């Protein structure tokens, strides 16, 4: 069954050039995926002429304006409802496309989904889920990546939000990362059930009852790079800080290696001998390889590509979006939430808590 | 002027042996510091006999019991008020010692201070401040360390708590790390003033008015390893996750290097050539070198050494404690808070906020 992906051609640091190039590559590599490029039709068409692509697989849908990377989401969408991200989200809502991909302003993208799509029943807030490399490998694909959510869509969370994130993350890991029974954990300041702010303690209590999940309890900061869990659940504030810190640590190591290279001849020789290993580490931490962060909680699929995405990252993001549609990710999440709330409602009244 | 430090001899993974050894080394290296070893007098005396030390500089104060590392703080202190950490905190409260050092149960240590000492006026909650290595160097000592607080004493914070942490951290960095005008920042999910949960947004507003501080605004996760700020202020929950993650990342790198060593002969040769550089990196990230985390907000000095501390870490923690007393750290913090609240009170009534 062919899948149609709506792509915001105008969002991202390298839009529209690299977005159009990425979709061009996709049209040749993945004949089962149709794309609709949404944005300035004249510019997109001019770019397509210069890009190798299969015209059978790409259509263009005009949008009059676009949201800049630094704009305030609500202001931008209110002022220009004809912007490419809003038009693209509407195409998906109307059934003209099955999924959305954008490398643009994250807040505006999530808001456009929120205004045009429905939430899955039982989900109060959407979550942005990021994959990041760990020491451990897992699943059928021997995958070094763990999933962390939320990483910035919902700063303040309730216990119920955290439970929904856990169910959504587990569904994603099992359907998309082919990890049949992902270990799901809450990020806290200690591994014991009573550790953390009230919403974490309560979420822990609720998750121990979620028998459909492989809930392994709380993990601490030290477990993040280790990969002790396959899905780590936290507030968008904490997840954002952690994810950006991982980025910072990688950059720092690369710079420190640069200093070492300059400082001593023997270190330079050592680094050259190690370059194969360093390249492997770089591959491992290269977000372009894994295509983007799913936004979970809506009744449609949205893959948010990194703002710095170039063509290969866009190609990958579209493939992940198509895979999520084909794997029926939304249905899997719906089923998980329904089962959890059904059992919750059937439980005897809650005991007074300590 | 001699300084007296009360040391909890029974707290820590390697107590009392390594604690007594560390104090023994201190007594020879630092003739201006007196120590009171608090704990089981018979065991301490037996250990002192086997340890090189200057008996003129060490006294022993008996305490009948101790708090284990995994005990619940309030339960332990309620059940055994004669435990070493409580007795040691009381000695300081009574003026028989000037500062406290412990490698024991962090929660119980902070609680013992809280029960025996006073808070500095304007401080609602104490903060545990940790130093961690960064890329940047700063201050008179060309110091690679930044300070982060809180890292676990106060999980949920108000805007006023964050302001107090900023003032306390700045005082510590200028007096102890000899950085005359430390750059103080709030950790958030974006650099703009409006980014973050409500308490961060409000703390940002208050801190822009704190003219005695070198407040540089918000920093993000990526700035933590870079060292963009000298003092990073956050909730105890976020600080704890971040600090433990830094520990985890270092461990992961060491393990990855280990795999590389086994995998290919050329990588092994490269790693051997780099060993000097790796040792330097290890020195930089070795918490034993910098002696412990100050607990700020009380009217007395408390340096919390790492639970895994061995003798050199204890020696260093006592030196830092003595330095904080001699530099009149508590007075510096009092002055900073008084100036801030004085100016706050003198301001015209607050404008309605956006």
């Amino acid at each position: 069954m062919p899948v149609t992906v709506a792509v915001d051609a105008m969002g991202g640091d390298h839009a529209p050039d690299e977005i159009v190039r990425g979709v061009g590559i996709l049209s040749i590599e993945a004949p089962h995926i149709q794309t609709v490029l949404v944005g300035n039709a004249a510019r997109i068409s001019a770019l397509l002429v210069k890009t190798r692509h299969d015209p059978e697989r790409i259509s263009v849908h005009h949008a009059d304006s676009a949201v800049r990377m630094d704009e305030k989401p609500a202001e931008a969408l209110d002022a220009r409802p004809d912007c490419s991200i809003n038009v693209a989200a509407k195409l998906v809502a109307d059934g003209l496309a099955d999924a959305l991909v954008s490398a643009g302003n994250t807040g505006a993208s999530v808001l456009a989904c929120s205004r045009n799509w429905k939430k899955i029943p039982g989900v109060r807030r959407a979550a942005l889920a990021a994959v990041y490399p760990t020491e451990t490998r897992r699943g059928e694909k021997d995958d070094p990546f763990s999933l962390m959510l939320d990483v910035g869509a919902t700063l303040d969370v309730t216990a119920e939000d955290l439970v929904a994130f856990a169910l959504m993350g587990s569904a994603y890991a099992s359907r998309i990362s082919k990890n049949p029974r992902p270990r799901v954990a809450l990020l806290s300041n200690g591994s014991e059930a009573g550790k953390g702010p009230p919403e974490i303690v309560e979420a822990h209590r609720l998750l121990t009852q979620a028998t459909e999940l492989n809930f392994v309890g709380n993990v601490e900061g030290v477990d993040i790079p280790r990969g002790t869990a396959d899905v780590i659940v936290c507030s968008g504030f904490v997840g954002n800080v952690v994810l950006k810190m991982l980025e910072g640590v990688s950059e720092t190591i690369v710079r420190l290696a640069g200093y070492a290279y300059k400082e001593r001849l023997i270190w330079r020789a050592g680094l050259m001998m190690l370059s194969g290993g360093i390249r492997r580490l770089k591959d491992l931490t290269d977000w372009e390889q894994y295509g983007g962060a799913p936004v979970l909680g809506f009744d449609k699929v949205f893959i948010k590509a990194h703002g710095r995405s170039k063509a290969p990252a866009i190609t990958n993001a579209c493939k992940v979006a198509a895979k999520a549609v084909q794997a029926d990710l939304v249905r899997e999440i719906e089923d998980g939430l329904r089962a959890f709330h059904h059992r919750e409602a059937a439980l005897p009244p809650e005991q007074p808590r300590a």
Side-chain angles (χ1 to χ4, degrees), chain A:
Chain A
M1 194 189 71
V3 177
T4 305
V5 179
V7 179
D8 176 6
M10 313 308 284
D13 296 344
H14 306 290
D17 304 50
E18 292 287 328
I19 315 294
V20 172
R21 279 220 310 130
V23 166
I25 296 166
L26 180 81
S27 70
I28 291 156
E29 284 185 2
H32 66 294
I33 306 176
Q34 293 282 335
T35 41
V36 185
L37 279 163
V38 182
N40 184 313
R43 286 186 70 185
I44 295 171
S45 303
L47 286 165
L48 277 174
V49 169
K50 298 188 294 181
T51 305
R52 202 173 146 242
H53 70 283
D54 179 345
E56 298 271 305
R57 314 254 170 262
I58 301 177
S59 62
V60 177
H61 189 105
H62 180 72
D64 256 341
S65 65
V67 179
R68 288 187 311 275
M69 296 304 274
D70 57 350
E71 271 189 284
K72 294 206 168 158
E75 283 175 20
L77 288 185
D78 288 344
R80 301 190 303 283
D82 58 355
C83 62
S84 56
I85 183 65
N86 207 39
V87 171
K90 212 173 282 173
L91 285 181
V92 179
D94 295 343
L96 299 171
D98 304 302
L100 175 66
V101 165
S102 173
N105 184 316
T106 304
S109 308
V110 174
L111 189 62
C113 296
S114 185
R115 289 186 175 181
N116 290 288
W117 300 354
K118 291 200 188 77
K119 297 257 168 52
I120 291 172
V123 176
R124 191 185 65 99
R125 298 293 309 262
L128 186 62
V131 284
Y132 73 93
T134 71
E135 244 183 282
T136 316
R137 288 167 181 266
R138 61 194 46 95
E140 288 170 18
K141 296 188 292 180
D142 206 21
D143 195 340
F145 300 113
S146 278
L147 190 74
M148 176 174 285
L149 72 168
D150 176 37
V151 299
T154 304
L155 295 189
D156 270 322
V157 293
T158 64
E160 287 70 26
D161 293 336
L162 292 168
V163 169
F165 295 176
L167 291 161
M168 300 193 304
S170 182
Y172 188 86
S174 64
R175 286 280 168 124
I176 308 301
S177 310
K178 304 273 183 198
N179 183 357
R181 198 161 163 71
R183 294 161 302 165
V184 178
L186 277 169
L187 183 58
S188 193
N189 60 315
S191 55
E192 305 86 347
K195 284 278 183 172
E199 68 277 11
I200 306 268
V201 175
E202 172 64 1
H204 189 111
R205 191 188 69 79
L206 292 168
L207 285 170
T208 51
Q209 297 162 13
T211 43
E212 63 275 41
L213 280 184
N214 183 10
F215 178 58
V216 296
N218 289 356
V219 294
E220 302 181 73
V222 69
D223 297 298
I224 298 172
R226 269 186 205 158
T228 312
D230 306 315
V231 177
I232 291 187
V233 174
C234 56
S235 77
F237 184 72
V238 172
N240 183 283
V241 167
V242 161
L243 197 74
K244 286 184 179 157
M245 194 172 125
L246 278 172
E247 213 174 291
V249 168
S250 313
E251 286 178 20
T252 291
I253 290 166
V254 169
R255 271 193 299 268
L256 286 177
Y259 303 150
Y261 189 84
K262 277 183 215 139
E263 202 160 337
R264 294 212 190 148
L265 196 61
I266 192 164
W267 288 357
R268 185 181 306 187
L271 279 167
M272 281 169 70
M273 287 178 171
L274 270 176
S275 60
I278 291 172
R279 195 171 329 113
R280 192 185 289 188
L281 184 73
K282 203 169 160 286
D283 281 351
L284 198 70
T285 57
D286 183 3
W287 49 263
E288 298 229 350
Q289 305 285 329
Y290 43 91
V295 176
L296 302 174
F298 292 110
D299 64 344
K300 306 286 179 188
V301 170
F302 172 31
I303 303 295
K304 174 66 186 67
H306 202 294
R308 286 186 269 160
S309 291
K310 295 201 170 178
I314 297 297
T315 308
N316 278 329
C318 292
K319 287 181 185 171
V320 172
K323 193 171 167 186
V325 171
Q326 288 173 321
D328 223 346
L329 176 67
V330 169
R331 173 81 64 85
E332 173 87 4
I333 293 176
E334 277 172 359
D335 290 348
L337 279 157
R338 193 182 308 114
F340 178 79
H341 287 293
H342 186 79
R343 206 190 36 257
E344 264 285 271
L347 282 178
E350 195 182 310
Q351 299 298 311
R353 287 170 220 162

